[in-house]
Amino acid sequence: MSIVESAGDALPEPLSKQDKEMARVAQSLIMASLDHSRAATIVLNTDTGEHPTISLPPASLKLIGRLLGALSTGRPFTVLPQKQEFTTLEAANFLNVSRPFVSKEIAAGRLPHRMVGTHRRIPVQDLIAYADKMRAGQADALDTLADIDNELGLDY
């Protein structure tokens, strides 16, 4: 699974500082326990005083730990299966661009894809890498514009 930070609506309400801290502490405890043992159980404390034990695969505990880490930052995120593929429309929605833009990027060779019959499919990992590269290019362009503004003495 991939955890992708995005502007999507992954959380209906922002977490309080206390909730973020609880998520951070829980994440560090889970990750530390995975580093020191092969145990894959969690003991829960319920409101009724029960202490049920849940057995989980270590990979799912790692995922829970990563989710808690993402929650503790307070930024929205999306969880996607690593082997998922997007259609051009889904990729456009993920990138917040038009479908024709995605098609042009595929045709230009900037966005890897595979053909399924006559349809294009974009692997989620390639789409995430493309989105990261796109964001880095946007940040560089903004830095360049800021430098030009400073050189011209424009204070915005």
Side-chain angles (χ1 to χ4, degrees), residues 3 11 42 46 51 59 64 71 124 137 154:
I3 299 177
L11 296 175
I42 295 178
T46 66
H51 303 289
I64 291 168
L71 278 171
V124 68
L154 302 174

Side-chain angles (χ1 to χ4, degrees), residues 30-45:
I30 288 173
M31 297 313 249
S33 69
L34 286 172
D35 287 343
H36 299 295
S37 73
R38 289 274 186 213
T41 59
I42 295 178
V43 177
L44 301 174
N45 294 325

Side-chain angles (χ1 to χ4, degrees), residues 43-63:
V43 177
L44 301 174
N45 294 325
T46 66
D47 292 340
T48 61
E50 296 177 45
H51 303 289
T53 301
I54 300 173
S55 296
L56 298 168
S60 65
L61 282 176
K62 277 187 180 178
L63 177 62

Side-chain angles (χ1 to χ4, degrees):
M1 295 274 183
S2 297
I3 299 177
V4 180
E5 293 184 15
S6 72
D9 48 2
L11 296 175
E13 299 174 13
L15 294 177
S16 68
K17 283 186 177 184
Q18 182 181 2
D19 288 343
K20 288 178 187 177
E21 180 62 16
M22 285 174 56
R24 188 192 64 74
V25 169
Q27 182 217 15
S28 64
L29 290 172
I30 288 173
M31 297 313 249
S33 69
L34 286 172
D35 287 343
H36 299 295
S37 73
R38 289 274 186 213
T41 59
I42 295 178
V43 177
L44 301 174
N45 294 325
T46 66
D47 292 340
T48 61
E50 296 177 45
H51 303 289
T53 301
I54 300 173
S55 296
L56 298 168
S60 65
L61 282 176
K62 277 187 180 178
L63 177 62
I64 291 168
R66 291 186 65 202
L67 286 170
L68 289 167
L71 278 171
S72 70
T73 65
R75 292 184 297 227
F77 61 90
T78 304
V79 178
L80 300 169
Q82 287 183 339
K83 298 192 186 248
Q84 181 175 342
E85 293 181 319
F86 284 4
T87 64
T88 53
L89 181 60
E90 291 167 335
N93 290 336
F94 180 83
L95 296 171
N96 199 26
V97 298
S98 69
R99 190 196 54 75
F101 177 83
V102 170
S103 296
K104 287 178 187 175
E105 292 298 285
I106 288 172
R110 291 186 284 268
L111 185 55
H113 72 289
R114 74 179 185 101
M115 296 298 292
V116 177
T118 59
H119 302 282
R120 294 172 286 211
R121 298 291 182 260
I122 300 120
V124 68
Q125 295 294 35
D126 291 334
L127 189 61
I128 292 168
Y130 178 85
D132 290 343
K133 187 176 177 182
M134 197 168 108
R135 277 192 286 276
Q138 291 168 342
D140 290 345
L142 286 173
D143 289 343
T144 301
L145 286 174
D147 291 342
I148 292 170
D149 283 351
N150 288 335
E151 288 175 11
L152 295 174
L154 302 174
D155 293 325
Y156 290 105

